[in-house]
Each structure stands twice: as structure tokens, then as C-alpha cells.
Amino acid sequence: MIVDAHLHTSGRETTGGVLQSLDDAGVDIAFLLAPFLTPPYSLYDRKSLRAGNRYLSDLIKSHSDRLVGFAVVNPLHPESAGDLEEAAALPGIRALKMVPTGWYPYDECAHRVYAVAARLNLPILFHSGIFIDGRSGRFCRPSFYEGVRDHPGLRVTLAHLGWPWCDEANAVGIIDRINGIDPAESQFRFDLSFGPPPIYRDEVFRKAIDVIGPRSLQFGSDRFLPCSGAHIRAAIDEVRAILDQLDVAADDRHAMMSGTAMDWLRLRPRKGGN
């Protein structure tokens, strides 16, 4: 089984096209993010984000067994907590995507959104690490997300293993391991999407597996729809090749390719070792 836990929509896809791409890629379940990086959608335009959340809901609502919706809000908008309430009521919306740009994850404006997400039991996928489009990554260091712990029960994933602060991401993730918290109950998970350039990936993956463990790691392609299934499949094959190189056991592969993400969104009863 494969869960793609980080897949962008653009506002230009069709439900049939998305499902066909997933079929061609061999993806069973996809976590789809509302559009915010492609015109007319923008993090800086609250109206466009609200429209993007509605668009995503319409795209996926008839296939909630396979397509999981992540709303997008920007806490710099004073109404963002209310916008999350609005999005959470839409069919198919099960989680939230947040991108710190112009705000820090420990800022009060962010905590107002976290409080709503915790109350509504909506996990959050955060961008962490640098950006490839030239925006400053200074807001996105993994340690800045420790403020999430002020909201017990709120489950979050830091994308990209926090590249280039991967050791810092491991340090954030290991706290629960040190305190004996089962990975399935941990507040923090980390996704394997994009992140380190190829020359670093073997070392970064090995450290993450050894330090925070496969049950805290989840696959995400970070692809932008509409795209071919082959494009998504290339990301799957790349990760699998690294896992081959590292001689990762079958149960640990299962966790990273599907089990961790399924546990994160409570999509099925949790089972030990997955």
C-alpha cells in the first residue's frame, strides 16, 4: 500500500484526472493540499484561500475513501481561525496545511489557529526548512515548531525533514522517544518529500530512521497536480531506491510508505509495528 501524504493541487485538475494519475502511480490514498501557490490562489489573498478550500472540497468530496483534503489558511490574516472553522465544515477536509512565511510558528497569530485545529482534531502539515523559490526559510527551522506542544493532542508533520536543519528536526522528533511516547501518539512526524539534495539523501534518511524511527516518517511526493502518474511514481521509486540502499526492513518500509500517514490521520485502527 502507498499513501502519498504531500500532493499539491493547482486549481486546474479534475477529479477523474487525479484518480487516473494515482492509479497510474500505484498510489492508494492521497493527501491533497488546497491550492495556494498557483494563480489566482495566494497565501497573501485571504479570499483566494477560502475559494481554494472550497475548490478542494468539491474536487474530492465524492471520493473521501481515497482523497483526503488539507485546507490552507494564513495566520497573518486576522480572520484565519474563523477561516479554519469554515474550511473544516466542508466535505472531505480532514487536516490543515500551513506555510510560515512572514510569521514564526511560535507567534501568537499561529497559536490562535493551532487552538482551533486542536479542538477540531485537525492534524497540520507544515512546511519546514528552506524554500526553493527564493523566499526566506528563516521562519521555518524545526525547533520553532516546539510551540505546538502547548496544544496537547495536536498532531503535526514537518515536511522535507526540515532540510537543511535535518539534525534539528531529529532533535525535535526524538523528545517523545526519550519520554517513552509511542510514535503513533507522538505530536510530531516528518515527511520525506523533496528535502535534501541527492548527495545528502542516503545519510539524512539513515539518520532519521535510526534516530526518530520509521513510524515517525511518511512518504510524500510533493508533486503538483495535474501531472502524470509517472511523475508521481518517479518520487516513489526514488525513495524506494534509497530504502534499498539502506537495506530497510519490510515492516519499516511499510510504515514509511503508508502506515505512519494512516496512523497520523487515524484512517484505520493502529497496529503495532506499522
Side-chain angles (χ1 to χ4, degrees), residues 225-249:
L225 296 164
C227 69
S228 69
H231 189 47
I232 299 171
R233 187 72 194 185
I236 297 169
D237 291 343
E238 182 179 74
V239 170
R240 282 182 162 169
I242 297 172
L243 301 184
D244 286 343
Q245 179 69 25
L246 298 177
D247 196 24
V248 175

Side-chain angles (χ1 to χ4, degrees), residues 27-39:
V27 172
D28 298 279
I29 295 175
F31 297 175
L32 302 186
L33 315 183
F36 64 93
L37 290 170
T38 48

Side-chain angles (χ1 to χ4, degrees), residues 94-222:
R94 299 280 300 273
L96 174 64
K97 166 74 171 184
M98 296 182 73
V99 182
T101 179
W103 55 275
Y104 288 96
Y106 49 74
D107 283 346
E108 182 58 34
C109 65
H111 279 282
R112 288 194 289 271
V113 175
Y114 303 162
V116 173
R119 174 166 52 82
L120 298 178
N121 195 28
L122 298 175
I124 304 175
L125 172 64
F126 286 106
H127 174 86
S128 67
I130 64 168
F131 295 96
I132 63 171
D133 61 5
R135 283 178 291 166
S136 175
R138 70 183 184 276
F139 302 102
C140 303
R141 292 193 63 149
S143 63
F144 295 165
Y145 296 92
E146 290 187 306
V148 166
R149 297 189 189 278
D150 293 344
H151 303 270
L154 178 59
R155 305 187 304 280
V156 305
T157 290
L158 304 189
H160 320 303
L161 289 171
W163 169 260
W165 300 292
C166 300
D167 289 340
E168 186 170 297
N170 286 340
V172 171
I174 201 175
I175 298 301
D176 285 346
R177 303 293 86 74
I178 291 172
N179 288 289
I181 297 173
D182 187 276
E185 301 302 329
S186 174
Q187 286 195 266
F188 283 92
R189 290 158 182 79
F190 304 83
D191 89 17
L192 304 173
S193 63
F194 190 66
I199 194 171
Y200 294 95
R201 284 180 188 156
D202 285 6
E203 177 184 1
V204 167
F205 277 42
R206 177 182 57 77
K207 286 183 175 179
I209 292 168
D210 289 347
V211 174
I212 55 180
R215 292 176 64 206
S216 293
L217 300 171
Q218 58 196 42
F219 169 75
S221 70
D222 199 20

